[in-house]
Amino acid sequence: MARDLNGHPVATGGLQRLFGRLRGGSAASSEPVPGDPDLVVVAECFDDTAAASSVLADSAWREPDQAVLRHLLLVPSEQIDAVAQTAAQDGYEVVDADGIAGPEAGPGMERVALARTQLVDALHCSQERSRMAGLGARHDGTVLGWQVLQRPES
C-alpha cells in the first residue's frame, strides 16, 4: 500500500494496482519497507545547518517514488524503549543502526535508527527532522542525521 507525505497508508484503486502489475510486479511489492536490504541511500544529511531542500536537490532522490525516511539518534541506553514507543505512534520502527555513517556512541549511549515508509519532499523531511530533534531532546539524546532510501533505479 502506498504512503503519503506523513507516512499514512493511501488506498490505491484497481486501475493503479493494474498499472503496477503491468510495470513488473504487484503494487504491494513495489513499496519499500524499513529494513529492506535492497534499498540504497539516495540522500542523506548529518549537518544540522543544511537545508533539506538543498540536500534533496543535490541527491539521487526520485520525488514521485515511495521512500524510507530514516533518522539516526544518539540516546541513553535506558531511554531506547521510550524513544521507540513514542516514535511508533507516528509509524516509525527501530531498524538496525549498524553500518550507518556517523559518530559512535559513547559510554551509556546508544545509536538508534528510526525509519518509516512515506513519500518524501523537502517540507515534510524538515518537519520530521524537527520531530526527531524534539524526541531526542525529551529523552536526553540528540539527532545525528537523516537518510532517504529508495529502491535502485532499474
Side-chain angles (χ1 to χ4, degrees), residues 26-130:
S26 71
S29 69
S30 65
E31 180 182 295
V33 294
D36 182 344
D38 293 334
L39 298 179
V40 296
V41 175
V42 294
E44 67 182 346
C45 183
F46 291 90
D47 177 359
D48 285 344
T49 64
S53 57
S54 296
V55 172
L56 291 173
D58 294 338
S59 73
W61 160 71
R62 297 178 312 276
E63 184 173 5
D65 294 350
Q66 292 283 306
V68 169
L69 182 58
R70 180 169 68 188
H71 303 272
L72 185 63
L73 289 78
L74 193 60
V75 298
S77 302
E78 65 274 6
Q79 295 289 339
I80 292 175
D81 289 339
V83 167
Q85 288 174 355
T86 302
Q89 294 173 12
D90 291 313
Y92 283 95
E93 61 185 79
V94 175
V95 295
D96 188 9
D98 292 339
I100 301 174
E104 292 302 314
M109 300 295 279
E110 296 284 335
R111 289 167 29 118
V112 177
L114 300 170
R116 76 175 183 193
T117 302
Q118 68 177 75
L119 282 176
V120 173
D121 69 4
L123 173 65
H124 289 85
C125 187
S126 294
Q127 287 174 338
E128 293 307 308
R129 287 172 66 184
S130 293

Side-chain angles (χ1 to χ4, degrees), residues 17-30:
R17 286 191 299 273
L18 176 62
F19 285 135
R21 284 188 206 106
L22 292 174
R23 284 193 308 260
S26 71
S29 69
S30 65

